[in-house]
Amino acid sequence: MKKRFAIIGFPLGHSLSPLIHNTAFKHLGLSAQYLKLEIDPHDFESTIEQLKNVNWQGFNVTIPFKEKIFPLLSKTDQDASQIGAVNTIHCTSNGWIGYNTDWLGFLKPLEQRNVFPETCLILGAGGAARAVVFGLLKLPSVQKLVIANRTIEKAEKIKNDFNGQLIQTISLSQLDSLNSAFDLIVNTTSVGMKGRKAQTIVDLEKVTHQNSTVYDLVYNPLRTVLLRQAETLSLQTIEGLEMLVFQAEAAFKIWTRKTFDDHLLNLILEKLKNELNK
Ligand code: ATR
């Protein structure tokens, strides 16, 4: 029988996860399918309990359920608990186990480029920022991490939750007067997403030096205004699509113990780009 996987969230219209995983299953000759399960937030708990009676191998979890899922799991991996969000579930004979692979997906493109930043500026303090900060704190190179957010209280919460001696928090309005250049700038906010105003919340010239790397978690559009500005300053850039693919690969590995070879990675990236350009 075909193994079954799905992404659970609401809404899911935009989700690219089925394309990634189904391409991987096919390429690796695995008899499995990956579906989209849009769950009405009002019926979340009861729907999850129903799903437990059916034979599933794994799930990805997205907005708005990444935190809500915790009490419904048999066990949670320590990293996911610390981040406070589960994006991957492995359904085992010992129950459903929750993981977070976002931080692994975030780090991979940095490792591949040998980017080992000492100073980092994180824009935003939502769920994505928590995985990013968690990941960056794993890097021995990191010495200073500034979280800039519109709502400073949320940045402060991350600092407190992560025992953040290396973390400083500021409000977005203080960004321009910061007067320091960072090795890495990461946008974790939704600013720059398709359908919203094409804008950025930072003047890159004021916070970068010539060897800075600019990483935007937004992947639609692929080249955000922020990344295009970085390009005009001749800075190294990383697209959000890479993190998307690598968090998926880390989930895939938990479920199947298999990784994406270079051929598969390129195939997936090509398909994703075609989809985004539609
Ligand atoms: P996610 O889980 O994807 O990180 P989120 O938790 O809703 O999503 O967080 C979105 C982030 O984008 C927040 O940091 C939010 O700032 P606030 O905490 O002040 O709400 C930020 N954000 C969204 N729209 C923004 C805008 N127009 N200007 C500045 N920041 C914005």
Side-chain angles (χ1 to χ4, degrees), residues 104-159:
L104 291 165
F106 167 75
L107 285 185
K108 188 89 178 253
L110 294 175
E111 287 161 1
Q112 283 185 329
R113 289 168 174 81
N114 287 320
V115 173
F116 299 112
E118 290 184 9
T119 56
C120 310
L121 172 63
I122 315 301
L123 304 169
R130 295 180 68 89
V132 165
V133 170
F134 181 83
L136 288 173
L137 289 175
K138 294 257 182 202
L139 297 183
S141 65
V142 170
Q143 288 170 21
K144 183 170 99 171
L145 222 157
V146 174
I147 307 175
N149 199 44
R150 187 172 56 181
T151 319
I152 190 147
E153 291 78 12
K154 279 209 233 165
E156 277 160 7
K157 178 150 192 343
I158 298 185
K159 180 178 162 75

Side-chain angles (χ1 to χ4, degrees), residues 63 124-129 149-151 154 172 188-191 196 201:
I63 292 165
N149 199 44
R150 187 172 56 181
T151 319
K154 279 209 233 165
L172 276 187
T188 74
T189 76
S190 46
V191 175
R196 303 194 188 192
I201 42 178

